[in-house]
Amino acid sequence: MTTKATLVVIVGGGFGGLAAAKGLKRSPVEVLLIDRSNHHVFQPLLYQVATSVLAPGQIASPIRSLLAEQANTSVMLGDVTGVDAASKQVIVDGDDKVGIRISYDYLILATGATHSYFGHDEFAAFAPGLKSLSDAESLRNHLLEVFEKAEIEDDQDRRQALMTFVMVGAGPTGVEMASAIAVMTETTFRKDFRRIDPKSAHIVLADMASRPLGTFSEKLSEAARQHMVSLGIDVRLGKPVQAIDGDGVVIGDERIHAKTVVWTAGVAPSPAGKWLGCAVDRAGRVRIQPDLTVPGHPDVFVVGDTASLDQDGRPLPGVAQVAMQQGKYAAKSISRKVIGHPPLPPFRYFDKGNLAVVGKSFAVLQSAGVQLSGFMAWLVWALIHIQFLTETSLRFSVFLQWVWTYLSGKRGAQLIIRPRSGS
């Protein structure tokens, strides 16, 4: 007689899901990872794809390749549409097969987050976010196209609108994106155009908050703001974005004519809370217990941006390190349950610090009481990001591209790629 192996289903191949899958490599379980994409994306570098520094293949890897050496792990390309916790099944749509039911013994939901427009979903048509490779490629095409259009535009007002770029949200993504566009116009595009001066581009960073990078100290926040101003970025703080349409944005009482608006203001979790019918926080994230399970469902773990857990009286941030540590914890906890070992102590996040890059050769770093800004912080940022890429080949590729871009100002993927007509 044979005993059926314990099946762990992981939904999501992002930082949390991939960490969980790898953490179960040597466990006496079968693992099935389900994702709607066939690749894992290193999201912190999406803005570099959007600004033509890196190609999409330099920050993404096929999930199957990453887990190819794990004999106990399978991968499924599909879109999870629900969870039946009572019967312990996930519901998946895959290609032309709808409503596939897959039974599990343990479930890890690492479904990530999407853009949140804070009740103004009408903004989405005019202000795309940056969460996926397709988002980054679309934004790269758009950024390159507006400069091409400006080059042949004779009307001065329309030309200025084409060369105006507004980032809504002054968190790390907004700061990094605005700074990258500023560097791109100052260096790469400097000699590329004849009828326009790319350096005359108007780059706006807008936020309701009183300072950028609100999760950093006031000292580092101010250092970042001053450096952005030195790059020519128009930092607009303390005023709400009232409207966004095809002609631009309204910030406070002022309309800014712009053909490029990027939403970097916030995220919303996946509908995992609705699937489970469990308690959620105000943002819609699943309220989990200290062992990362859902109350009433000890076989269901929720990690990363989908989860809400307080530590020392404060909610854990939605950053990659939290997701990775939670994914590893969930994997270890399941392994111990399967082999009959005592449970782990409650999960505790070890904060390795915050980093944000602000253009070329400048970053801010906050870690364990250390506060650093400037070139040294930028070097630390570069080393850490290289280290966390999933494959050695990508580390070499990205390192060489960064060196080349730093020395020459040339970009790696300055291509406009349009879908074929009729596709």
Side-chain angles (χ1 to χ4, degrees), residues 85-107:
S87 61
K88 299 181 67 170
Q89 293 179 323
V90 293
I91 304 165
V92 188
D93 290 347
D95 194 19
D96 60 341
K97 297 180 180 179
V98 178
I100 304 168
R101 285 182 169 262
I102 299 174
S103 298
Y104 63 82
D105 293 297
Y106 291 96
L107 175 64

Side-chain angles (χ1 to χ4, degrees), residues 164-308:
T164 299
F165 307 87
V166 180
M167 312 300 126
V168 181
T173 301
V175 168
E176 290 172 347
M177 191 71 201
S179 302
I181 295 174
V183 172
M184 181 171 67
T185 59
E186 178 71 28
T187 57
T188 306
F189 287 172
R190 184 166 50 90
K191 296 181 180 179
D192 288 359
F193 295 89
R194 299 293 177 265
R195 299 187 69 226
I196 60 172
D197 178 9
K199 292 188 294 183
S200 66
H202 184 201
I203 303 164
V204 181
L205 180 67
D207 201 299
M208 266 285 292
S210 59
R211 59 189 181 92
L213 299 177
T215 58
F216 289 75
S217 69
E218 290 189 16
K219 174 185 174 182
L220 292 179
S221 176
E222 178 60 18
R225 189 196 66 81
Q226 290 182 8
H227 191 71
M228 284 189 287
V229 171
S230 74
L231 292 173
I233 298 171
D234 182 1
V235 182
R236 306 282 188 99
L237 301 171
K239 293 183 178 180
V241 172
Q242 305 281 12
I244 304 176
D245 54 34
D247 293 320
V249 302
V250 177
I251 302 175
D253 298 325
E254 180 185 358
R255 171 168 279 280
I256 298 176
H257 294 281
K259 293 300 181 183
T260 303
V261 182
V262 184
W263 188 264
T264 58
V267 296
S270 76
K274 295 180 180 178
W275 296 345
L276 297 168
C278 61
V280 297
D281 66 8
R282 288 187 300 175
R285 299 179 301 170
V286 176
R287 290 294 299 176
I288 56 174
Q289 301 184 108
D291 65 353
L292 308 188
T293 62
V294 177
H297 299 286
D299 49 9
V300 179
F301 294 76
V302 183
V303 304
D305 289 341
T306 307
S308 174

